[in-house]
Amino acid sequence: EARAGVLGNPNNPGGCLTIQGALVCGDEAAKIRRELLELRIETLEAMAERFEEGKNAGEFSGDVDTRRLARYLSAVIQGMSVQSASGATHCELKGVAEQAMRAWPD
């Protein structure tokens, strides 16, 4: 929900620099595209590590694929960013977050 608040706030620019920035730059900005990609990979890795810690602590059932869960959550967040850039409201983005949480593992 916090992400929906940031992305859906009309006082903030729509979207997310690490996602949108890499999609719209040309060949002359290849270095920037790589840096943004590295940031997204670091975020994905951090989520996967945190989910693995949670799994080891019993926060998830034993059969949760923590890397797959991190990739799924990244895809949802990135999609919310694209929706934000397309004008989605806070309420609409909150709905996306709530729907994603219905798929959250036990």
Side-chain angles (χ1 to χ4, degrees), residues 26-100:
D27 291 339
E28 65 280 357
K31 181 177 187 249
I32 294 169
R33 185 177 23 246
R34 279 192 308 274
E35 288 178 19
L36 295 173
L37 173 61
E38 288 173 16
L39 284 172
R40 290 194 312 273
I41 290 170
E42 287 173 15
T43 300
L44 178 67
E45 293 297 323
M47 283 193 297
E49 288 174 19
R50 172 58 185 95
F51 294 157
E52 190 64 30
E53 290 171 8
K55 181 178 176 179
N56 292 336
E59 296 173 13
F60 298 116
S61 64
D63 63 347
V64 169
D65 183 330
T66 55
R67 297 198 67 70
R68 182 182 291 178
L69 181 59
R71 178 76 61 187
Y72 167 74
L73 187 57
S74 291
V76 170
I77 292 169
Q78 291 167 2
M80 288 174 69
S81 175
V82 172
Q83 290 290 310
S84 171
S86 300
T89 66
H90 170 262
C91 186
E92 292 167 331
L93 295 172
K94 182 179 175 191
V96 172
E98 289 171 355
Q99 186 65 42

